Amino acid sequence: MKRKLSLPLTVVFPAIILSFVAVVFALEPGRAFLNMFDHANEAADTAKIEEGRQTFRFDTFGDEAFWGDTLHLHRAIEGTKFGGVGPGVSPAIALALGLKVDQDALPQSLVQQIKQGQVNLNDPAVTLALLKLNAVIGITGRFKSDGSLKSMGIQCALCHSTVDNAFAPGVGHRLDGWANRDLNVGAIVAAAPNLQPVADLLSTDQATVRKVLNSWGPGKFDAALLLDGKAFRPDGKPAATLIPPAFGLAGVNLHTWTGWGSVPHWNALVANLEMHGKGTFYDPRLDDAVQFPIAAKNHFGHVQNDPDLISSRLPALHVYQLSLPAPPAPAGSFDAASAKRGESLFRGKANCATCHVGTMFSEPGWNMHKGSEVCIDDFQADRAPDHAYRTSPLKGLWTHTKGGFYHDGRFATLLDVVNHYDSCFRLGLAQNEKQDLVQYLKSVPRTR
């Protein structure tokens, strides 16, 4: 007679569970793994977006060494009362320059004092207090123990964020990715006490540099100035271009008006060459001494810093930017019936959808065109490596109507843009059709 083998439950029960799991995997080998990895991917995506948000809003990449330590811009902000120069920058002046204040960074006690008129908005000391709270969007102050500024730096959010004005004009909740068309970058930089390093790059004097900077006006910046030295267009107007939005870029190949490169390429270029942070940047196209004489002379296409404070930040910054959707047009901001007719024209008679494709409103692939293809000059295009203009995505046009349209704001209104294309392509649009197109452009993107 054979003896029965008896095993304890502590051995049998785990074995049964393992057998069941094996059967599940045999029947559906991918499901358990997919669920596990899906959850892991979701968690990683969420963490990456938050990391990118923090970088976009608060990371200076070490650029204090330029804006504060070299140009001494912080001294103009604090004024003579705090050991700086000049009258200083009060909140009233800062808001007039287009700087924005994050309402959510303000303690409730300060909010109440402002509401009750107990805060002197003409006092630079209040600006310093706001900087200590990290409430001035896009600017970080570094302070001494006595409360005066030691240095200052800037962030991506300076140009590519604004606020909803929920508390007051220029004060509200952050709107990341929106173009700050109120920001007078040139006037802010022109206030720096020491612009000699910039003058040396441009082989000129500080007075000329300030003249150029003050010519830009609100909502404009010239990213190519320190690459090619071209301060003005052939017609004598400033060579600066409008600050573009940084939202709605998912699926869009190139990032700038003139298609310099992808989102991470341009982020690296700006962080290193425009913000003057400390990182690594490689673009041998800048070695072209004919097209980019300043960049070639100073080896701007071959930047290396140790430590590198930028490169490790680029992946999360990229993910965050691509996560920013274009905001839907507010109800009542356009004529819905007219916009519906305009959409039919956009995709039909007006032929706009040939280039502004699908929900991206740009072309999949290499979305670049010569100026002659859209009946404009090539001046700005020729300042970029590909000598062409990008088909700009149209989502969220309603958020950046201030300053005009096209790269340099040459068309004051959307109707001016439509009239230009009607003439350029001989579309034969009637006046009511043009108005319908304008209403459609104002409506993009719409919630459906």
Side-chain angles (χ1 to χ4, degrees):
M1 182 176 178
K2 295 182 180 179
R3 293 181 58 189
K4 292 183 179 180
L5 184 63
S6 178
L7 295 175
L9 286 177
T10 55
V11 174
V12 174
F13 189 71
I16 294 173
I17 295 298
L18 288 174
S19 298
F20 176 76
V21 171
V23 170
V24 170
F25 272 87
L27 294 175
E28 299 184 72
R31 177 176 294 179
F33 272 122
L34 285 175
N35 287 341
M36 178 175 65
F37 284 120
D38 278 349
H39 290 312
N41 287 340
E42 288 174 8
D45 288 345
T46 300
K48 212 68 170 176
I49 288 172
E50 182 55 31
E51 180 188 345
R53 179 184 288 112
Q54 294 300 309
T55 296
F56 184 89
R57 292 181 174 183
F58 302 114
D59 207 322
T60 64
F61 309 117
D63 65 23
E64 297 93 332
F66 181 77
W67 299 106
D69 303 347
T70 300
L71 301 193
H72 302 160
L73 184 54
H74 65 291
R75 301 192 66 211
I77 293 173
E78 63 186 359
T80 54
K81 181 179 178 181
F82 294 93
V85 297
V89 176
S90 67
I93 292 174
L95 292 172
L97 288 169
L99 291 166
K100 306 297 181 181
V101 175
D102 179 5
Q103 174 184 347
D104 299 312
L106 304 179
Q108 193 57 38
S109 58
L110 179 57
V111 169
Q112 291 302 318
Q113 289 176 330
I114 295 174
K115 287 181 176 179
Q116 295 167 8
Q118 298 174 352
V119 176
N120 183 3
L121 298 180
N122 293 306
D123 186 354
V126 178
T127 301
L128 298 187
L130 292 173
L131 286 171
K132 288 179 181 177
L133 292 169
N134 270 337
V136 181
I137 292 178
I139 295 182
T140 292
R142 306 299 185 197
F143 287 85
K144 300 177 185 176
S145 58
D146 64 2
S148 63
L149 279 169
K150 178 181 179 181
S151 188
M152 56 81 63
I154 64 173
Q155 292 102 17
C156 305
L158 177 65
C159 293
H160 298 289
S161 285
T162 185
V163 295
D164 62 3
N165 301 323
F167 183 81
V171 184
H173 308 294
R174 287 177 181 260
L175 298 172
D176 283 353
W178 293 43
N180 186 351
R181 291 289 175 83
D182 297 317
L183 187 68
N184 198 328
V185 181
I188 293 170
V189 178
N194 179 31
L195 288 175
Q196 193 58 50
V198 180
D200 290 342
L201 276 175
L202 295 174
S203 300
T204 187
D205 53 67
Q206 294 192 58
T208 300
V209 172
R210 289 190 170 88
K211 177 183 177 181
V212 170
L213 293 170
N214 283 315
S215 74
W216 294 355
K220 289 188 175 182
F221 176 72
D222 190 352
L225 177 62
L226 297 185
L227 306 178
D228 63 13
K230 295 178 180 178
F232 296 95
R233 298 182 340 200
D235 61 6
K237 295 180 180 179
T241 60
L242 288 167
I243 297 171
F247 56 55
L249 293 176
V252 178
N253 182 36
L254 299 175
H255 188 24
T256 63
W257 298 117
T258 51
W260 273 80
S262 63
V263 171
H265 167 273
W266 191 248
N267 285 347
L269 185 150
V270 169
N272 282 279
L273 304 184
E274 309 296 342
M275 295 172 65
H276 300 273
K278 302 292 185 181
T280 299
F281 179 67
Y282 177 70
D283 190 340
R285 297 176 299 178
L286 293 178
D287 295 338
D288 185 341
V290 175
Q291 188 176 10
F292 306 112
I294 296 173
K297 181 179 179 180
N298 293 278
H299 308 291
F300 286 165
H302 307 270
V303 176
Q304 288 186 314
N305 283 280
D306 186 13
D308 181 340
L309 303 179
I310 297 174
S311 298
S312 63
R313 301 284 191 252
L314 295 176
L317 181 59
H318 187 197
V319 171
Y320 180 57
Q321 279 189 253
L322 294 187
S323 77
L324 296 173
S333 65
F334 60 93
D335 183 311
S338 179
K340 186 175 182 179
R341 294 192 299 270
E343 181 172 10
S344 297
L345 289 163
F346 186 91
R347 305 191 186 285
K349 181 179 178 180
N351 211 28
C352 309
T354 301
C355 295
H356 298 281
V357 178
T359 58
M360 290 188 306
F361 290 91
S362 186
E363 290 151 313
W366 197 252
N367 49 340
M368 301 295 291
H369 296 276
K370 297 294 184 183
S372 59
E373 296 179 57
V374 288
C375 303
I376 65 169
D377 62 272
D378 282 314
F379 170 74
Q380 202 63 236
D382 286 339
R383 302 181 77 193
D386 204 46
H387 301 274
Y389 294 104
R390 177 191 68 161
T391 300
S392 296
L394 303 179
K395 290 184 291 187
L397 279 176
W398 67 273
T399 69
H400 54 96
T401 59
K402 185 177 290 186
F405 299 92
Y406 261 51
H407 57 281
D408 52 10
R410 65 181 60 198
F411 299 117
T413 68
L414 285 171
L415 181 57
D416 292 335
V417 176
V418 172
N419 281 330
H420 171 75
Y421 280 110
D422 181 52
S423 173
C424 177
F425 296 118
R426 298 181 177 87
L427 299 173
L429 297 173
Q431 195 60 34
N432 64 309
E433 291 177 320
K434 294 177 183 179
Q435 293 293 347
D436 288 343
L437 268 175
V438 167
Q439 292 304 309
Y440 174 64
L441 292 171
K442 289 168 63 176
S443 77
V444 177
R446 284 180 288 174
T447 54
R448 296 184 183 273

